[in-house]
Amino acid sequence: MSEHQGYMKALKCRECGREYPLTATHVCEFDFGPLEVAYDYDRIKKSLTKAAIQSRPKTMWRYRELLPVANDPTVGLQVGFTPLVKADRLARKLGIRELWIKNDTVNYPTLSFKDRVVSVALSRSRELGFDTVACASTGNLANSVAAQAASAGLKSYVFIPSDLEQGKILNSLIYGARVIGIKGHYDEVNRLCAEIAGKFGWAFVNVNMRPYYAEGSKSMAYEIAEQSGWRIPRHTVVPMASGSLLTKIQKGYQEFVKLGLVPETKYSVHGAQATGCSPISVAQKAGLDFFKPVKPNTIAKSLAIGTPADGFYALRVMRDTQAAADDVTDDEIRDAIKLLAETEGIFAETAGGVTVGVAKKLIASGKIPRDDSAVLCVTGNGLKTLDAVDGYVGKPREIKPSLREFEALLANEEKVNA
Ligand SMILES: *Cc1c(COP(=O)(O)O)cnc(C)c1O
Ligand SMILES: [Zn+2]
């Protein structure tokens, strides 16, 4: 049995605990609870030691026993192990003792954290015999499914809201994916995809493959813990769309504690949203354990999910880790993108602006104390959302190819700065 399932035991309902076979299915038949992968941790503990991990290639697959594939992965073997950057200049600006950026703007191959989840989803889809993969996406997921399906020789359909950033649309088309723009917001795209998934025999990475797909996010937590010297950071700030990444960061930390890879310490996993789509942070701030759906209106399109599938569980993680949530306006997002770029040389997309902007607020309000240490999850690359900052970063000054003109420009600049 175990040789067909790897280190997985079953799919398990998060609500009632009923177990299901490890197929392409995602909801419990009895209570419609979401299914999650359950593992054989006793077996994992024997094989996944620090020494074993450190002997393996620097990719997310060095934690392979904790990722839901039965056999060795076949898609996205180079994904992950992005830099954890000590951000002293940004720390000074935000007024905190120690700050780190988990820099998924340079994830392979499509420059966002979604490469992690897609690598897992497509590897598992292949194991289950699918030849066509699909997704409902706010942009980055579509890019990653398109690219990784291309490299794996799988056929792909990606469904996106038709008003996405040009960069995100092009970044799906270039790989030859069938890109379907839906005239509606993400929640409508998602609803349509649930219908399509039931009708066609495709692997929808975030519908029927969601239990496997979502587990890929845990790799970010494992890397943060290993790169922090095998410990869990006191504070982690995570952007929230469906809320899945935030819940999986906590699950990743919990698993490392359970396996004895890190000491058990107190930690908080804080959530970040854009004010224009903030169902989870609004509920958190009001002390509620459920959210009210909203209609998104923000430049942070990658996070624009008005009915977040894991919102309820994200709220629970924040409550259990005594964490906070907050949200930032479009102007604050742009300012934070610039601040991160000017202090650390990292150009993040709008979701990164949301994370940095919210971290700034949580530090200012004392919810992240100034003498603590924090890790900010920066999840996507600014080159894909140029529209968001176009017109907000000034323009190059133009001169003729003449030394005299350049000297005049410099002299003028000194006058202005004096
Ligand atoms: C998808 C995405 C997230 C978070 O997604 P969840 O649905 O909350 O897991 C964060 N940042 C970026 C850039 C994304 O594309
Ligand atoms: Zn159930």
Side-chain angles (χ1 to χ4, degrees):
M1 187 72 108
S2 62
E3 60 203 27
H4 287 113
Q5 306 193 344
Y7 294 86
M8 298 181 278
K9 282 207 301 208
L11 294 179
K12 197 170 173 181
C13 173
R14 287 195 69 154
E15 292 304 323
C16 70
R18 272 193 182 82
E19 294 198 349
Y20 292 82
L22 290 155
T23 57
T25 173
H26 65 118
V27 280
C28 177
E29 290 164 15
F30 294 89
D31 53 19
F32 302 103
L35 303 184
E36 190 177 38
V37 179
Y39 297 86
D40 183 347
Y41 289 109
D42 292 333
R43 269 187 66 225
I44 290 176
K45 195 162 186 171
K46 289 193 197 110
S47 145
L48 194 69
T49 61
K50 270 187 215 177
I53 294 170
Q54 282 164 329
S55 72
R56 297 174 185 173
K58 289 192 165 162
T59 77
M60 64 181 269
W61 289 105
R62 68 209 254 114
Y63 317 102
R64 181 240 171 281
E65 287 88 338
L66 291 167
L67 297 172
V69 286
N71 307 111
D72 285 340
T74 58
V75 185
L77 302 186
Q78 303 87 345
V79 175
F81 221 81
T82 55
L84 182 69
V85 180
K86 188 137 189 282
D88 292 339
R89 283 168 47 77
L90 182 60
R92 232 168 290 139
K93 288 275 188 194
L94 300 190
I96 188 169
R97 180 176 61 79
E98 189 179 282
L99 195 64
W100 299 81
I101 304 291
K102 179 56 173 166
N103 186 6
D104 261 25
T105 71
V106 291
N107 212 350
Y108 180 86
T110 66
L111 309 179
S112 89
F113 106 90
K114 289 298 196 305
D115 290 325
R116 301 174 182 276
V117 282
V118 170
S119 165
V120 169
L122 298 201
S123 289
R124 184 65 184 148
S125 298
R126 263 190 165 170
E127 286 184 346
L128 294 176
F130 290 100
D131 58 14
T132 302
V133 296
C135 67
S137 172
T138 57
N140 285 313
L141 181 59
N143 296 170
S144 192
V145 166
Q148 298 201 58
S151 73
L154 294 162
K155 196 168 170 186
S156 67
Y157 286 85
V158 306
F159 297 82
I160 52 174
S162 55
D163 71 344
L164 272 195
E165 300 96 339
Q166 200 51 32
K168 295 262 168 81
I169 297 173
L170 254 166
N171 264 295
S172 293
L173 289 167
I174 193 71
Y175 304 107
R178 287 127 186 102
V179 180
I180 323 288
I182 308 294
K183 294 173 193 149
H185 48 78
Y186 173 82
D187 300 284
E188 294 170 294
V189 177
N190 197 39
R191 206 177 319 123
L192 171 65
C193 285
E195 286 179 52
I196 296 172
K199 202 157 175 172
F200 298 79
W202 300 341
F204 257 91
V205 304
N206 56 343
V207 184
N208 53 349
M209 293 299 291
R210 191 171 178 88
Y212 309 99
Y213 152 92
E215 289 282 288
S217 293
K218 296 188 306 184
S219 62
M220 203 161 176
Y222 307 146
E223 291 173 18
I224 290 170
E226 181 180 349
Q227 291 168 317
S228 299
W230 300 99
R231 50 177 199 86
I232 300 171
R234 177 65 189 80
H235 300 276
T236 310
V237 184
V238 183
M240 301 184 290
S242 72
S244 174
L245 174 61
L246 183 133
T247 66
K248 296 296 179 174
I249 294 276
Q250 187 216 21
K251 185 176 181 191
Y253 288 160
Q254 284 177 330
E255 287 176 329
F256 260 32
V257 170
K258 194 189 320 234
L259 294 170
L261 293 167
V262 296
E264 188 162 7
T265 53
K266 183 169 168 48
Y267 62 85
S268 302
V269 186
H270 307 281
Q273 292 206 294
T275 304
C277 183
S278 49
I280 309 176
S281 71
V282 165
Q284 198 282 335
K285 287 190 282 188
L288 302 172
D289 56 10
F290 57 90
F291 65 85
K292 198 168 137 256
V294 302
K295 216 170 158 191
N297 179 18
T298 168
I299 58 168
K301 294 179 193 266
S302 58
L303 302 181
I305 299 185
T307 308
D310 290 290
F312 171 77
Y313 298 104
L315 286 165
R316 197 154 79 186
V317 166
M318 288 187 274
R319 190 195 63 203
D320 291 350
T321 66
Q322 286 158 33
D326 216 325
D327 44 79
V328 281
T329 65
D330 287 356
D331 282 335
E332 290 172 314
I333 293 169
R334 287 190 196 97
D335 287 345
I337 291 174
K338 276 167 77 174
L339 181 64
L340 177 62
E342 290 174 2
T343 53
E344 299 299 335
I346 296 170
F347 183 16
E349 71 144 83
T350 46
V354 167
T355 303
V356 172
V358 164
K360 182 178 173 181
K361 274 184 140 173
L362 296 179
I363 293 165
S365 68
K367 286 176 180 160
I368 297 180
R370 293 185 184 277
D371 55 358
D372 271 354
S373 172
V375 172
L376 312 187
C377 295
V378 172
T379 46
N381 196 298
L383 291 172
K384 293 199 209 177
T385 59
L386 293 174
D387 335 28
V389 288
D390 194 19
Y392 292 85
V393 289
K395 281 204 160 61
R397 273 145 303 171
E398 290 186 7
I399 55 171
K400 295 211 185 79
S402 123
L403 182 58
R404 196 148 359 105
E405 283 213 15
F406 180 62
E407 284 172 338
L409 181 147
L410 270 191
N412 194 33
E413 193 151 274
E414 252 139 54
K415 237 182 282 158
V416 173
N417 290 336

